[in-house]
Amino acid sequence: MYISRTNIIEHIPEFEADIVLVCCAGYPNYGDELLLKCWLDNIFLRDSKIKVLVECPVPGNCSVLLGDYDGRVRYQDAVWKIVWGAPHCPIDAFNYGIKLFEACDKNNGLRFMFGHYKKAKLMHFIGGGFIRKGWDNHFSLLGLAIAIKKRFHLNLSMSGQGFCPIDEVFLPIFKTALENFEHVSCRDLPSLKVVEKLSCVDPDTVVDDTFLISDSPLFSGKENQKERVVICIQNDIKDSFISALLLRQIHLLLAEDPERELVVAEFCPNYDLTCVSEISQLFKSPTIISFEKLWNGRVLNKSDICVGTRNHFHLIASRSGCRGIFGSPDAYYGIKHDSLLPIGSNWQNVDLYHDRVPPLCFPRIQEESLVRKKRAEFGLIMSLTS
């Protein structure tokens, strides 16, 4: 049998990361990819020569959407391969993460990928709500992080985390795990309350990681535009009470002004388009802003009235100056949406207005203050690499 010499592995190319970022990006879902972009952009503004390894569930999509920053970024799913095999019990998942990493040298699917950690100074979990009740196998990430810290002697940090809801029975092991971190911050007050007594927790920066950027990437900047009703209702609440309430609000908004254009924003490809047929049947055919157009940015006007369920739709649209009405499919979403009200989103909860349009107030978000706090935290976290 002929074997080409070009296929013989004599040396595996090294990619020695300085920082490892752990995130939930790649499925894709606009908020998760934006969070990752915020971190990568700020890292390379600070140091253009640094090397970053991104641990994400779907590396291919992240590579297409974000690129490799001139070869300084590599995407892989080593930690997520372990997560997907973990038990759906937080304590068991935590222990599984430790054991699987300790045995990774004997696993051909993981052996080479963890080689990128050899010179890393920091493993950082960027903002999101992916370690919480409902995704119990994700608690393996905490066990993994501790085992990785032990082997590679790097620092651990988290920012903008949403830990709630969380079962109280698992709090002791959860807090024990976080004691191995040098820095932790949360994006909402219920999550902060869970961990506020830990010495590593930053109680002053309770805000989403997207405040690393100084303005909304979706704001068009256009003034005096016609009012549109921009909708983002996720597929997993179709036929629910919340979905019915939001559709009722669309009906009421059109009753006020039938000339308002309907627009559906696709924050999560395909999943946010299941409402289109129902909206077309009940009202009129909406214009669709595809995920690709959202990703390229500048598609929302200050005159838009937004109706939806997704957290980053609420956050980024309100940062664009849009008025809005939100619905929370469950307790997790309720915590996320409620965290945006104290910072000035001024959006209204559809639960409180079943038969009339709520008073629609323009957002009053203190952008400069929140961006300054988040960037100060970013500087503190980056100091862990030195």
Side-chain angles (χ1 to χ4, degrees):
M1 182 175 68
Y2 174 73
I3 300 176
S4 169
R5 287 197 57 80
T6 58
N7 290 334
I8 296 174
I9 299 176
E10 295 178 347
H11 173 69
I12 297 176
E14 290 286 346
F15 181 86
E16 295 176 338
D18 301 297
I19 298 174
V20 178
L21 295 181
V22 182
C23 64
C24 209
Y27 284 112
N29 181 330
Y30 180 85
D32 292 324
E33 282 72 51
L34 181 61
L35 286 162
L36 177 55
K37 187 178 189 302
C38 290
W39 266 92
L40 290 174
D41 286 353
N42 275 270
I43 286 171
F44 290 110
L45 279 172
R46 182 185 177 98
D47 185 347
S48 61
K49 294 182 179 180
I50 209 162
K51 287 187 177 181
V52 180
L53 177 67
V54 176
E55 290 278 11
C56 55
V58 191
N61 281 343
C62 286
S63 179
V64 170
L65 290 169
L66 293 157
D68 68 357
Y69 289 76
D70 295 324
R72 314 301 297 186
V73 177
R74 183 167 293 187
Y75 304 92
Q76 69 175 32
D77 57 0
V79 302
W80 291 97
K81 288 181 186 295
I82 292 176
V83 169
W84 294 324
H88 287 265
C89 166
I91 294 174
D92 293 343
F94 174 79
N95 292 325
Y96 179 89
I98 294 173
K99 290 176 182 177
L100 257 288
F101 178 75
E102 290 174 346
C104 72
D105 289 341
K106 298 177 183 178
N107 185 319
N108 290 341
L110 298 173
R111 176 178 166 186
F112 302 122
M113 289 193 281
F114 282 115
H116 299 320
Y117 284 65
K118 288 178 183 176
K119 293 189 177 180
K121 303 283 199 320
L122 174 67
M123 184 179 192
H124 178 72
F125 290 70
I126 70 173
F130 52 91
I131 303 176
R132 61 171 175 86
K133 182 179 179 180
W135 285 352
D136 294 342
N137 58 325
H138 288 195
F139 281 78
S140 58
L141 288 167
L142 297 176
L144 258 171
I146 293 168
I148 287 169
K149 178 176 185 174
K150 183 178 178 181
R151 177 178 293 193
F152 296 114
H153 308 290
L154 45 66
N155 290 318
L156 298 175
S157 60
M158 289 182 167
S159 60
Q161 294 296 313
F163 297 127
C164 292
I166 187 169
D167 284 329
E168 290 191 10
V169 68
F170 301 123
L171 284 179
I173 193 168
F174 181 62
K175 291 181 177 180
T176 298
L178 291 186
E179 285 172 355
N180 289 272
F181 283 70
E182 277 67 39
H183 178 89
V184 175
S185 73
C186 303
R187 68 183 180 190
D188 57 76
L189 290 174
S191 296
L192 176 63
K193 193 169 184 180
V194 166
V195 296
E196 64 183 342
K197 293 181 181 178
L198 298 179
S199 60
C200 61
V201 171
D202 173 7
D204 298 320
T205 311
V206 185
V207 68
D208 193 84
D209 273 4
T210 52
F211 280 96
L212 281 171
I213 52 175
S214 57
D215 65 352
S216 164
L218 294 183
F219 179 43
S220 69
K222 296 176 182 177
E223 300 289 344
N224 302 317
Q225 300 296 300
K226 288 185 178 180
E227 284 187 353
R228 305 182 299 176
V229 180
V230 182
I231 304 155
C232 183
I233 300 176
Q234 60 210 75
N235 74 314
D236 51 350
I237 69 156
K238 193 175 184 295
D239 302 323
S240 71
F241 181 60
I242 289 295
S243 177
L245 288 179
L246 292 171
L247 290 171
R248 172 69 174 160
Q249 285 297 324
I250 295 168
H251 167 76
L252 294 171
L253 287 166
L254 288 176
E256 282 185 349
D257 182 357
E259 297 300 313
R260 283 171 172 156
E261 180 186 357
L262 295 185
V263 177
V264 171
E266 187 187 29
F267 267 59
C268 191
N270 299 318
Y271 290 102
D272 292 345
L273 298 183
T274 56
C275 64
V276 171
S277 60
E278 189 171 8
I279 288 170
S280 299
Q281 290 171 10
L282 290 172
F283 312 116
K284 53 187 175 181
S285 295
T287 301
I288 295 172
I289 302 177
S290 68
F291 179 89
E292 291 85 349
K293 288 181 180 177
L294 284 170
W295 190 245
N296 289 326
R298 309 302 173 192
V299 294
L300 294 180
N301 305 320
K302 193 174 181 179
S303 56
D304 291 336
I305 300 170
C306 297
V307 178
T309 55
R310 291 202 181 276
N311 172 60
H312 280 99
F313 174 60
H314 181 171
L315 174 56
I316 302 302
S318 60
R319 290 187 71 183
S320 302
C322 303
R323 296 161 292 169
I325 303 166
F326 70 87
S328 300
D330 55 29
Y332 170 60
Y333 275 91
I335 290 167
K336 291 201 290 184
H337 284 298
D338 288 348
S339 73
L340 304 180
L341 302 180
I343 66 173
S345 84
N346 275 344
W347 281 29
Q348 301 293 332
N349 188 339
V350 73
D351 265 342
L352 305 178
Y353 300 92
H354 292 193
D355 296 312
R356 62 187 176 91
V357 175
L360 296 172
C361 306
F362 285 101
R364 299 177 62 87
I365 295 176
Q366 302 297 316
E367 289 275 345
E368 289 186 13
S369 171
L370 295 172
V371 170
R372 186 167 58 249
K373 281 185 176 183
K374 183 52 72 173
R375 287 185 174 172
E377 182 195 21
F378 170 78
L380 183 135
I381 291 168
M382 290 298 290
S383 71
L384 297 172
T385 63
S386 57

